[in-house]
Amino acid sequence: MGRVNTNQSASVATLVEWLHQFGSLVEQNKGYLTDLDSAIGDADHGSNMARGMTAVLNQVADPGAADALFKKVGMTLVSSVGGASGPLYGTFFMRFATGLGDGTEVTPEALVSSLRAGLDGVISRGKAELGDKTMVDAMTPAVVAIEGSVASGESLADATRAGAEAARRGRESTIAMVARKGRASYLGERSKGHQDPGATSTTYLFEALAASLDGV
Amino acid sequence: MKKLINNVDDVIADALKGIELSDDNVRVDHEHRVIYRAEKTRQGKVAVISGGGSGHEPLHGGFVGVGMLDAACAGQMFTSPTPDQMLAATSEADGGAGVLHIVKNYTGDVMNFEMAGEMAADSGVRVETVVVADDVAVQDSLYTAGRRGVGLTVLLEKIVGAAAEEGRDMDGVLEIAHRVNAGGRSMGMALTSCTVPAAGKPTFDLPDDEMEIGVGIHGEPGRHREPLSSARDIAKQLVDPILHDLDFTGAPCIVMLNGMGGTPLIELYLMYGEVVRLLDDAGITIARNLVGNYITSLDMAGCSVTILKADDEILALWDAPVKTAGLRWGV
Ligand SMILES: Nc1ncnc2c1ncn2[C@@H]1O[C@H](COP(=O)(O)OP(=O)(O)OP(=O)(O)O)[C@@H](O)[C@H]1O
Ligand SMILES: [Mg+2]
């Protein structure tokens, strides 16, 4: 578990722990993510994400400043994943990096605005809207929930727990949607009834964040 | 599923070694997984490059050579290559007259090429992009990802490659690319799913007596499933939506009957015969044709039909010499 100090900031060590937790969730659920992608995509989301996170975790031993670390994480994802999720997760982390500052502690406010910047990056790169059955349907409610909790003075642990819960609900909501973006959109109505693989991996991202900040 | 592989993680790297050994006309950058012509791009020639997920061979690597592509980036199986691969290919292939990216319309491909284009522009290379979107199985709409790029990519790479080889400038090459893109349509079907090596099992289950109509080239399910019928009926189900989408009468057409990788040639020829009968009935003139496996989906059984509304200029570019592993004539 990463440590969170008394003024509630998240240390770079905690954020690295987040990446490790995310990597493990992706690795454990690689087959599941690929199965979800078989139903409405091309059966590669699990292997894409696992390849990317393996490359990322090879680079975080000596993390340094928060912004430089996450810029590197984003670039590593872009250059190792390919597919739709490479540019999307890569852009998420590169934009996330810009709000973190060059220190080794990140305040709750900076974390929140960085998450928002990451989400905005995903939306401008992929042009998906809420309800299109993509990772945006899990990421948007998660970021909104964390923003709300932090604004009302909750701890990062509680806020990110609420974020994970919102991501899970968003993920579930993709089941009933007809896909309008990504490969699943080619199926039209047939995409209904299936959970979106990207919204599923995004839920792991927020569950990992909550797990790394647990125990404040 | 039985495959001729050593290790699922090494399939593409190992195949690139074989490609390099099999063809003296290409060289391979194994680090970036780019296939180049053996000779550097002639100074002043527009470079034409493409790329996409692996598993569609001979597309794209098999179309690198004189008269067609200058370079092709190989992604992971069915997964778009990454921007750094395309950036390497763009910088290396540039002959000073700009680089045309031929991109199949898939979200991943479009976004990765877009990022590579942004990076290349920063380094001063003129990059233009043509996005192929010819699959009539997909409803076209402004609010979705749009139509997939499938069979027309093969014809476009040949025709546009010839235009660049002739020495046309970027604007001239782009004009031809847009004309071909606007005049071509495709439709595909599957008798079986394909098996991605890393997954080890078929991407979808398709009972012995059923088929998928309107499939793409990644083992994704199609528009609908129905009982298996005769070649004659299947040909009609592929040709009708194409003719419904665009009027092909009054122009010389180029027709491709493409195999998905797991269907014997004898069945492809049989299907071609059925397609010609339908096009004759519809009053369509077939000026040129191509029958075989050109844009495949690993071991999927099935086929696709592509029709391109051509003109004399496009036909002349089609007939121009080409020397690649996948297409070779006039040399
Ligand atoms: N335009 C988009 N905006 C946001 N998310 C998207 C978009 N398109 C696809 N996605 C997400 O990406 C996920 C699929 O990622 P995956 O790694 O399988 O890439 P892919 O689409 O198969 O890429 P490629 O087409 O090159 O193989 C989807 O489940 C969806 O959540
Ligand atoms: Mg996929």
Side-chain angles (χ1 to χ4, degrees), chain A:
Chain A
M1 281 307 107
R3 264 160 287 113
V4 177
N5 73 15
T6 44
N7 70 10
Q8 286 260 331
S9 293
S11 66
V12 163
T14 301
L15 297 177
V16 168
E17 175 61 21
W18 172 28
L19 295 171
H20 278 288
Q21 299 261 2
F22 181 44
S24 323
L25 281 171
V26 164
E27 194 58 45
Q28 283 157 29
N29 295 288
K30 182 165 131 178
Y32 175 57
L33 289 173
T34 290
D35 285 348
L36 291 173
D37 200 29
S38 302
I40 54 171
D42 57 348
D44 63 358
H45 190 57
S47 40
N48 286 349
M49 292 305 297
R51 185 173 60 248
M53 286 312 294
T54 303
V56 164
L57 294 175
N58 279 333
Q59 311 237 345
V60 297
D62 186 16
D67 56 358
L69 168 68
F70 279 93
K71 183 167 182 227
K72 188 164 73 183
V73 168
M75 285 174 26
T76 303
L77 288 171
V78 167
S79 62
S80 61
V81 177
S85 43
L88 290 167
Y89 276 105
T91 301
F92 173 83
F93 282 113
M94 285 193 279
R95 295 285 291 275
F96 174 77
T98 57
L100 296 176
D102 58 5
T104 54
E105 292 287 327
V106 178
T107 64
E109 292 68 30
L111 188 71
V112 163
S113 64
S114 299
L115 288 169
R116 170 58 68 176
L119 169 63
D120 288 347
V122 168
I123 291 173
S124 68
R125 180 66 62 198
K127 306 190 178 60
E129 293 174 8
L130 270 180
D132 283 354
K133 196 178 182 104
T134 69
M135 60 176 69
V136 170
D137 292 307
M139 198 178 282
T140 303
V143 171
V144 168
I146 296 172
E147 279 172 342
S149 301
V150 167
S152 59
E154 285 177 35
S155 69
L156 273 183
D158 287 343
T160 52
R161 204 174 302 125
E165 182 51 40
R168 279 192 289 271
R169 280 197 303 273
R171 175 191 68 195
E172 298 307 311
S173 76
T174 64
I175 297 174
M177 293 174 186
V178 174
R180 282 192 297 259
K181 283 286 184 305
R183 276 184 196 289
S185 69
Y186 306 134
L187 289 176
E189 286 287 326
R190 267 180 107 183
S191 62
K192 243 187 194 166
H194 298 281
Q195 182 174 309
D196 179 60
T200 309
S201 57
T202 292
T203 302
Y204 298 147
L205 182 70
F206 286 92
E207 288 179 337
L209 182 62
S212 67
L213 285 158
D214 195 21
V216 188

Side-chain angles (χ1 to χ4, degrees), chain B:
Chain B
M1 186 67 201
K2 293 188 271 191
K3 298 265 182 200
L4 295 170
I5 62 176
N6 299 311
N7 180 325
V8 286
D9 294 326
D10 299 335
V11 173
I12 291 152
D14 288 355
L16 283 170
K17 285 180 201 144
I19 286 173
E20 185 173 41
L21 293 169
S22 70
D23 188 354
D24 287 343
N25 297 303
V26 301
R27 67 196 151 90
V28 176
D29 168 355
H30 292 280
E31 188 202 334
H32 291 104
R33 298 189 171 172
V34 183
I35 300 168
Y36 294 101
R37 294 192 194 182
E39 266 134 56
K40 276 203 72 108
T41 308
R42 174 172 93 233
Q43 208 50 34
K45 177 189 158 326
V46 170
V48 180
I49 75 176
S50 189
S54 294
H56 308 303
E57 292 69 23
L59 186 94
H60 299 272
F63 298 139
V64 172
V66 173
M68 215 160 161
L69 300 178
D70 292 277
C73 308
Q76 297 288 336
M77 207 57 87
F78 288 171
T79 299
S80 156
T82 60
D84 51 320
Q85 291 179 270
M86 297 155 183
L87 183 61
T90 302
S91 315
E92 171 69 17
D94 181 33
V99 182
L100 178 68
H101 287 174
I102 298 179
V103 184
K104 302 193 295 305
N105 190 30
Y106 295 96
T107 305
D109 294 70
V110 170
M111 288 193 296
N112 282 285
F113 268 102
E114 203 173 81
M115 291 182 98
E118 289 163 11
M119 295 175 195
D122 287 346
S123 70
V125 179
R126 177 175 177 193
V127 176
E128 297 288 347
T129 303
V130 53
V131 179
V132 187
D134 56 316
D135 189 351
V136 299
V138 178
Q139 231 93 61
D140 202 6
S141 155
L142 277 178
Y143 306 103
T144 63
R147 284 183 166 161
R148 296 179 286 228
V150 287
L152 184 63
T153 316
V154 176
L155 309 191
L156 190 134
E157 287 179 358
K158 166 68 187 84
I159 293 160
V160 166
E165 202 71 58
E166 267 189 16
R168 297 191 195 203
D169 65 8
M170 179 60 95
D171 291 337
V173 170
L174 262 179
E175 191 272 320
I176 289 285
H178 292 315
R179 207 179 331 147
V180 170
N181 214 6
R185 300 288 188 275
S186 300
M187 177 82 179
M189 62 83 56
L191 295 170
T192 66
S193 171
C194 56
T195 299
V196 178
K201 55 177 196 247
T203 306
F204 57 84
D205 294 317
L206 190 53
D208 257 3
D209 53 355
E210 290 182 22
M211 60 181 175
E212 284 272 340
I213 300 288
V215 292
I217 51 171
H218 302 90
E220 60 270 65
R223 287 303 282 194
H224 61 271
R225 179 172 290 196
E226 54 183 80
L228 183 63
S229 56
S230 65
R232 186 156 297 173
D233 174 69
I234 295 169
K236 193 165 159 47
Q237 294 207 49
L238 297 182
V239 168
D240 278 355
I242 295 178
L243 300 189
H244 196 257
D245 204 76
L246 190 70
D247 180 7
F248 288 90
T249 55
C253 291
I254 303 177
V255 176
M256 177 171 76
L257 193 293
N258 172 65
M260 292 294 188
T263 290
L265 271 175
I266 188 165
E267 293 173 34
L268 299 183
Y269 282 114
L270 188 156
M271 279 299 289
Y272 182 66
E274 296 299 332
V275 167
V276 170
R277 206 176 50 84
L278 292 167
L279 295 183
D280 280 350
D281 288 350
I284 289 161
T285 312
I286 306 174
R288 303 287 186 277
N289 73 78
L290 198 57
V291 180
N293 295 291
Y294 293 103
I295 172 168
T296 59
S297 189
L298 290 171
D299 53 351
M300 178 183 271
C303 69
S304 64
V305 175
T306 299
I307 309 179
L308 170 62
K309 193 170 182 173
D311 53 41
D312 290 344
E313 188 184 13
I314 289 177
L315 289 183
L317 291 168
W318 178 258
D319 291 339
V322 58
K323 192 178 180 189
T324 69
L327 280 186
R328 190 175 292 230
W329 58 68
V331 286

